[in-house]
Amino acid sequence: MEVLIFPDATSLARKSADLVESQIKTFPDSVLGLATGSTPLGLYQELIRRHQQEGLSFAGVKTFNLDEYVGIASNHPQSYRTFMDENLFDRIDIEKSNTQVPDGMAENPLEVGPAYEQSIQEARGIDLQVLGVGTDGHIGFNEPTSSLKSITRVKTLTKQTIEDNSRFFEPGEFQPKLAITMGIQTILDARRILLLAHGENKAEAIRDMVEGPLSAFCPASALQFHQRTTVLIDEAAASKLALGNYYKFVGEMQDELVRTHRPSDWISR
Ligand code: GLP
């Protein structure tokens, strides 16, 4: 796992946008896996800015979102489809038909997973997956004790996740307790992964993910098995890491290597 620590959320967003931009400039038909939540908003804003001001094009890009609530229509203000449309898709030149979010209103939610997996396969897999992390270490909606081999399916949310996400719902409004989410194996199948996190409330999850034992109790720790995961975090999210200074040193050495050898092999395909 490569761990990059940034002084603030703005520089973190800029670097993650650099990585996404390199991916889609090198392979304009890239398949991106995307996340919702407050964490990737800075990345999406920066991508929109680069589209509007610098002509960065998403015309050939396909996307698959990680997850969606069960029981919420795609046009509901709190659906992850609405989130993606408002915060990214409606503001760049992507073909809407090339963007997929699991259907939270499917007649049989149990049938959504296998079909979603098939669509990902038909798109020849995910080149670059963007992830956030829950305070309990979940990725997508793979809550603690999710199978490390899981694929897209219905999951029950933990109390902690329901509480964390209650800020988006009006008091008394229906708040989903179930979600359809890519599985941990689905995520691990992505060729390249960028996990973003900022803020002190993510510090424990980041510590358990990077340095804790590999365990389904912290689903994000499964990323220790992935060959090309980059973790982009701010100082606050890095504050509980035992080897924070080492990761910074690694970053300096990497910069030195890039300066002298210009390796560009991180781009996935
Ligand atoms: C939700 C999403 C995750 C996201 C997490 C963190 O539960 N399913 O994909 O990473 O929240 O959200 P935030 O970025 O708002 O902290």
Side-chain angles (χ1 to χ4, degrees):
M1 232 184 247
E2 179 186 29
V3 180
L4 305 177
I5 302 172
F6 297 87
D8 52 52
T10 311
S11 48
L12 188 162
R14 217 173 289 135
K15 176 67 180 180
S16 48
D18 289 348
L19 297 176
V20 174
E21 176 172 347
S22 301
Q23 173 70 41
I24 61 182
K25 276 192 167 158
T26 310
F27 297 109
D29 61 345
S30 286
V31 180
L32 303 182
L34 297 177
T36 50
S38 47
T39 306
L41 280 176
L43 162 64
Y44 296 158
Q45 279 156 14
E46 181 60 16
L47 291 175
I48 292 164
R49 190 195 68 72
R50 292 181 192 194
H51 166 67
Q52 291 172 347
Q53 296 177 11
E54 297 166 10
L56 178 63
S57 176
F58 297 78
V61 169
K62 284 191 178 144
T63 67
F64 288 90
N65 261 76
L66 281 167
D67 46 16
E68 179 60 281
Y69 290 119
V70 171
I72 277 203
S74 57
N75 63 357
H76 185 285
Q78 292 311 328
S79 79
Y80 282 176
R81 161 54 74 182
T82 301
F83 177 99
M84 290 309 301
D85 285 350
E86 287 179 352
N87 291 297
L88 187 64
F89 299 150
D90 287 344
R91 299 158 72 189
I92 55 176
D93 61 343
I94 198 163
E95 294 282 341
K96 219 31 123 39
S97 57
N98 282 340
T99 67
Q100 293 210 42
V101 180
D103 180 3
M105 287 300 266
E107 209 168 298
N108 184 352
L110 300 176
E111 284 172 1
V112 173
Y116 204 65
E117 290 287 331
Q118 199 180 327
S119 305
I120 295 173
Q121 294 306 324
E122 283 165 4
R124 49 154 184 68
I126 292 170
D127 293 312
L128 175 68
Q129 174 69 56
V130 175
L131 291 177
V133 63
T135 56
D136 63 1
H138 73 232
I139 45 177
F141 269 129
N142 293 285
E143 297 286 27
T145 72
S146 287
S147 162
L148 300 181
K149 287 276 184 194
S150 51
I151 59 171
T152 307
R153 71 222 182 283
V154 175
K155 278 298 289 180
T156 303
L157 307 183
T158 60
K159 243 188 152 164
Q160 189 175 333
T161 299
I162 293 167
E163 271 166 33
D164 284 350
N165 291 349
S166 64
R167 66 190 193 276
F168 299 113
F169 294 87
E170 300 297 330
E173 191 186 359
F174 164 70
Q175 187 187 345
K177 316 275 185 295
L178 297 173
I180 297 167
T181 180
M182 279 187 202
I184 295 177
Q185 186 63 58
T186 320
I187 294 169
L188 290 177
D189 285 343
R191 297 179 185 91
R192 168 89 178 164
I193 295 176
L194 306 181
L195 184 140
L196 322 181
H198 41 76
E200 214 190 323
N201 65 333
K202 298 293 171 71
E204 261 176 48
I206 291 296
R207 179 197 60 202
D208 294 348
M209 172 182 88
V210 178
E211 297 175 341
L214 173 71
S215 161
F217 201 68
C218 175
S221 69
L223 299 176
Q224 293 174 21
F225 256 133
H226 192 265
Q227 283 193 333
R228 305 181 83 200
T229 291
T230 300
V231 177
L232 300 100
I233 50 181
D234 70 354
E235 293 280 356
S239 60
K240 294 206 158 106
L241 289 169
L243 295 183
N245 286 335
Y246 173 63
Y247 309 135
K248 287 182 188 167
F249 178 53
V250 172
E252 287 162 21
M253 297 303 284
Q254 293 277 54
D255 289 348
E256 185 62 33
L257 267 176
V258 172
R259 262 195 301 278
T260 48
H261 297 286
R262 302 180 167 274
S264 57
D265 75 324
W266 71 267
I267 295 170
S268 326
R269 180 50 62 87

